[in-house]
Amino acid sequence: MLELRKLQRCFGEFTLGPISLSLPVRRYLVVLGPSGSGKSLLLSALAGVFRAEPGHLLLDGHDVGGLPPERRNCALVFQDPWLLPHLDVSRNVAFGLSLRAIPKGEREARVRELLELLGITRLAKARPARLSGGEAQRVALARALAVRPRLLLLDEPLSRLDHNSRLELRAELRRLHQTLSLTTVHVTHDREEARSVGDDVAIMLGGRVVQSGPLSLVMERPACPFVARFLGLSWREGGALPGCSQKCMEGSGLCDRMEPTGEGD
Amino acid sequence: MIPRRTLLLTAGGVALVHLVIGLVPEPVLSLPTNLVMLAVNLYVAWCGLLLLQTGERRRLGLFVAGYLVLFLLLVALLQRESLFLLLVIVYASVFRNGLLLGLFSAFVLSYVVFQPYAFETFVPLALLWILVWRSARAGTSLFVSASLAVGLFVLGLILLPFLHMLVQETPQTLLQFAGRPEVRQALLVSLSSASLATLIAFLFGVPLAYALVRGEPRGRSLVEALVDLPILLPKPVVGIALLTLLGPGSPLGEMLERAGLGLAGRFAGIVLAQVIVSTPFLIKSAMTAFEGVPEQLETAARTLGARPWQVFGRVALPLASRGVLTGVILCWARAVGEFGAIMLFAPHPLSGSVMVYNEFLKGGVSESRPIAMLLLLICLWVFVLMQFGRALLPAPFSRAPLRRA
């Protein structure tokens, strides 16, 4: 169970949050938003790259908001795989395990299992520099999964891949989630991607969550014209909402309705 | 194949020239020499015709020009016909291979023109040509190749005095000097103090460099200026400053002396002076190396459970290790080479550089040069060893990795 309570952080001009959101265990949340909406920052806050204060970040009921990244057990996969170039694939996958006191046999078994799960067993001894984008991203995923994180964070993991690898890995992500049922937060700006992998969706704009909830529900009832357009739906309610200037539709990147319609508080 | 007519015409022409030379009333060449020369020239002409065959008339012109230069230089100017014959055969044979032709020209230039400095000019020239040739072959632009050539030429000039010194002494003299106990002692002091200084610099300099790169950016420029300070100061100034603080007569110096920890004029003093003058090189190299390690790589490692010190030890340091080793080499070399500060602060025990100076004062160049050469050889050897060590270390992170199919 992941719970955010009024998470907030200022970066000069830009303010992230306050964000309140909750994600039940084993759900796959897709955070969707245009570039500059703060979705990657939200993910960094979850990973612990910076501390988000004021506000609380609860993971399985414990407040982890003040912990450094290494003690949160939230594995993060970036746009670029960021594999350690001096280690081969299996050692990269084993990296997180080698930091813990895990016996060698068990470590090797788990690495083998993960390489198999992601279909990259043949690359076990390859150097990261030799891998294609899709292969490298699979290794990065395996490396993240190896530490059995409580929360898997994916920061636009498919955006640097070519079209075919992207479709392949997208299906793979869905399959992995079904097999491992890890609580996952996946950030993207691609609505197709969001619609094909997510259980839940949170739509961000200007550092805030505009709407969140199960994907089907949000698809059925978008909260405002922006959400509708971003999901590729038509806005049926007609006209503007109270307090909404619809400036966001012209690309201002800001939502001027004070109360975000998020349901997660 | 070369058309028979051209072949015959050329051969006839060459033979005619030699016939004329032989029939001149007072022959410049004896009959056997003339015959050998005829054979050689026929071979050269055949090589030239082979060039023509490939349709490169400009290169044929170059070929002839080179031949004439060799002729003028060796026959007209130096009157060394037999050397000319030998060289011209080599010349004709290697002409079609640019790399070998360049090396050949370097050889002629060094061993014929700069004869007294043959070895020390040939080595840099040959290296220069190999590098420039490879750069040109790799399709580098003319500008880059020319910059390389000019830059390497000047670098070669820097190398010249050292190479020249290397060939001045016979191994026997060197061995004789190396056998002298006081020389051994001084070299040992130099090497051990420099190694100790480098170790100290490494232990506190590398973490400092990492902290400066990754830590709070405010105040960084101030610390960096502080790091640079010993580079900026003339070394005798460092020596005087150390003497003022720690020398005999100063309160701190007296106190340390009484506690048995005196520095001035001791081995520890040498190490201290070396640490001060050489650490900046290590810190700066290490900083550059750490700057090349992407932060995301470290973030990724941290989310996988690596503590900050594990990130340093298992991600940052391995990826920066080549740069850090470069820093270690620079630091060590600087420490071995330190003279000014040591001369003033700790001239005893005698270290290598101080001894070279002392011997120079006593007996001139001839007495100090063998010691200088020993120092040079040892440093070169360590340098080469460390360069090989570099290859064993992991390569730094590169954004555009080599992808091989």
Side-chain angles (χ1 to χ4, degrees):
Chain A
M1 177 87 172
L2 169 70
E3 202 174 342
L4 308 183
R5 288 189 196 151
K6 300 215 164 93
L7 200 76
Q8 194 171 0
R9 167 89 187 223
C10 285
F11 297 90
E13 302 254 300
F14 186 82
T15 307
L16 176 69
I19 293 176
S20 295
L21 196 70
S22 79
L23 180 69
V25 177
R26 301 201 181 105
R27 296 284 279 186
Y28 196 121
L29 170 71
V30 177
V31 178
L32 192 61
S35 52
S37 59
K39 50 195 192 312
S40 284
L41 279 177
L42 172 64
L43 211 60
S44 301
L46 293 180
V49 176
F50 55 83
R51 289 175 69 158
E53 286 169 329
H56 297 281
L57 203 171
L58 279 78
L59 203 52
D60 300 335
H62 303 286
D63 192 344
V64 297
L67 295 179
E70 64 269 21
R71 296 184 52 199
R72 291 196 181 186
N73 205 4
C74 300
L76 180 55
V77 176
F78 300 86
Q79 266 179 28
D80 293 305
W82 295 115
L83 301 176
L84 297 170
H86 59 295
L87 303 177
D88 65 19
V89 165
S90 58
R91 283 191 170 179
N92 261 289
V93 175
F95 182 76
L97 302 174
S98 67
L99 298 165
R100 296 161 170 75
I102 289 175
K104 200 171 167 224
E106 193 188 332
R107 203 192 304 169
E108 280 171 1
R110 212 190 290 181
V111 169
R112 218 175 307 125
E113 189 184 306
L114 276 164
L115 291 178
E116 211 166 298
L117 186 65
L118 283 147
I120 44 175
T121 309
R122 75 203 150 80
L123 300 173
K125 291 289 162 235
R127 288 273 159 177
R130 299 275 183 93
L131 304 178
S132 72
E135 288 167 346
Q137 203 58 292
R138 277 166 194 265
V139 177
L141 255 173
R143 182 176 69 171
L145 293 172
V147 299
R148 302 211 168 131
R150 282 190 290 186
L151 187 61
L152 179 63
L153 304 171
L154 307 171
D155 189 356
E156 307 222 9
L158 311 179
S159 64
R160 290 278 167 90
L161 303 180
D162 60 81
H163 186 69
N164 288 341
S165 320
R166 190 180 304 158
L167 292 185
E168 254 175 60
L169 208 56
R170 198 158 89 183
E172 190 78 27
L173 280 176
R174 191 67 227 168
R175 187 178 68 82
L176 279 175
H177 185 247
Q178 275 156 5
T179 343
L180 304 171
S181 358
L182 266 172
T183 317
T184 306
V185 179
H186 177 144
V187 159
T188 180
H189 59 260
D190 180 349
R191 66 167 176 248
E192 286 305 316
E193 198 174 304
R195 282 157 71 158
S196 62
V197 294
D199 299 324
D200 290 4
V201 65
I203 289 150
M204 285 188 74
L205 183 65
R208 299 248 197 118
V209 172
V210 183
Q211 186 179 12
S212 68
L215 183 68
S216 51
L217 239 137
V218 174
M219 292 287 283
E220 205 172 292
R221 291 189 62 84
C224 71
F226 173 78
V227 172
R229 197 170 82 169
F230 205 75
L231 287 174
L233 307 166
S234 54
W235 174 243
R236 279 184 299 254
E237 313 289 320
L241 292 168
C244 176
S245 64
Q246 295 211 11
K247 268 190 191 147
C248 54
M249 301 288 272
E250 290 146 26
S252 74
L254 282 172
C255 180
D256 49 11
R257 290 199 305 145
M258 290 312 289
E259 286 298 313
T261 343
E263 345 172 309
D265 204 351
Chain B
M1 263 328 282
I2 306 162
R4 180 162 292 185
R5 223 168 65 103
T6 326
L7 198 61
L8 283 176
L9 263 175
T10 315
V14 171
L16 192 68
V17 170
H18 280 268
L19 191 67
V20 169
I21 292 174
L23 291 179
V24 170
E26 256 177 76
V28 261
L29 297 172
S30 63
L31 184 63
T33 318
N34 202 358
L35 281 178
V36 174
M37 243 188 195
L38 171 66
V40 169
N41 277 338
L42 280 175
Y43 170 69
V44 172
W46 179 66
C47 289
L49 287 179
L50 281 182
L51 277 181
L52 196 62
Q53 190 60 25
T54 49
E56 292 169 283
R57 280 168 185 279
R58 272 212 351 243
R59 288 186 68 180
L60 185 65
L62 274 177
F63 182 72
V64 173
Y67 178 87
L68 286 178
V69 166
L70 278 178
F71 181 82
L72 283 176
L73 188 71
L74 291 162
V75 180
L77 213 65
L78 300 169
Q79 268 115 41
R80 293 173 69 177
E81 286 85 3
S82 46
L83 185 65
F84 170 73
L85 287 178
L86 207 69
L87 288 183
V88 98
I89 293 175
V90 178
Y91 169 71
S93 315
V94 302
F95 185 82
R96 267 138 59 99
N97 183 326
L99 183 66
L100 290 179
L101 180 66
L103 290 177
F104 172 77
S105 314
F107 181 81
V108 171
L109 213 58
S110 304
Y111 281 84
V112 179
V113 183
F114 305 131
Q115 223 267 316
Y117 306 101
F119 170 75
E120 48 271 47
T121 48
F122 177 66
V123 171
L125 275 176
L127 279 176
L128 179 132
W129 176 252
I130 291 173
L131 291 174
V132 171
W133 172 257
R134 285 180 59 172
S135 147
R137 258 328 197 34
T140 328
S141 68
L142 188 64
F143 172 71
V144 173
S145 293
S147 306
L148 185 72
V150 173
L152 283 177
F153 182 73
V154 175
L155 270 184
L157 290 182
I158 298 173
L159 207 59
L160 197 59
F162 303 109
L163 286 172
H164 183 61
M165 189 168 90
L166 269 182
V167 292
Q168 290 305 302
E169 301 287 346
T170 58
Q172 283 84 347
T173 345
L174 280 186
L175 282 177
Q176 189 200 332
F177 267 80
R180 278 161 49 178
E182 72 273 19
V183 174
R184 279 191 186 193
Q185 188 61 35
L187 291 179
L188 193 67
V189 165
S190 262
L191 298 183
S192 56
S193 64
S195 307
L196 191 58
T198 308
L199 181 70
I200 293 170
F202 181 85
L203 288 181
F204 87 91
V206 173
L208 174 65
Y210 184 67
L212 284 175
V213 169
R214 283 287 178 261
E216 176 67 29
R218 265 174 292 174
R220 182 177 153 174
S221 53
L222 186 75
V223 181
E224 272 184 69
L226 224 102
V227 167
D228 285 341
L229 194 65
I231 301 183
L232 296 173
L233 290 177
K235 300 306 170 275
V237 174
V238 177
I240 294 288
L242 282 174
L243 271 179
T244 313
L245 181 68
L246 299 163
S250 72
L252 190 57
E254 294 291 326
M255 213 174 78
L256 286 172
E257 197 67 50
R258 251 177 284 128
L261 295 168
L263 292 167
R266 302 277 171 79
F267 183 76
I270 296 180
V271 175
L272 177 66
Q274 287 175 333
V275 168
I276 290 176
V277 298
S278 60
T279 309
F281 294 93
L282 177 53
I283 295 180
K284 290 181 89 65
S285 301
M287 278 176 73
T288 314
F290 284 129
E291 270 161 6
V293 180
E295 248 184 304
Q296 287 95 326
L297 216 50
E298 297 189 2
T299 307
R302 285 194 76 181
T303 63
L304 293 168
R307 307 265 164 87
W309 58 270
Q310 287 174 316
V311 172
F312 173 74
R314 302 192 46 175
V315 180
L317 197 55
L319 292 179
S321 55
R322 287 198 183 177
V324 171
L325 182 66
T326 304
V328 165
I329 296 173
L330 282 176
C331 176
W332 188 85
R334 192 69 201 75
V336 166
E338 180 48 30
F339 170 69
I342 295 176
M343 183 67 196
L344 287 168
F345 185 57
H348 294 283
L350 210 54
S351 54
S353 52
V354 176
M355 189 180 201
V356 169
Y357 182 68
N358 284 351
E359 293 298 313
F360 173 71
L361 288 187
K362 275 190 264 168
V365 175
S366 60
E367 278 302 301
S368 58
R369 194 169 57 204
I371 307 171
M373 274 184 64
L374 285 173
L375 210 52
L376 177 71
L377 285 176
I378 292 172
C379 290
L380 274 181
W381 181 68
V382 171
F383 182 71
V384 168
L385 218 62
M386 288 194 181
Q387 286 294 335
F388 276 116
R390 260 171 73 86
L392 300 177
L393 294 173
F397 182 85
S398 95
R399 188 158 279 280
L402 255 165
R403 292 238 168 87
R404 285 176 213 166

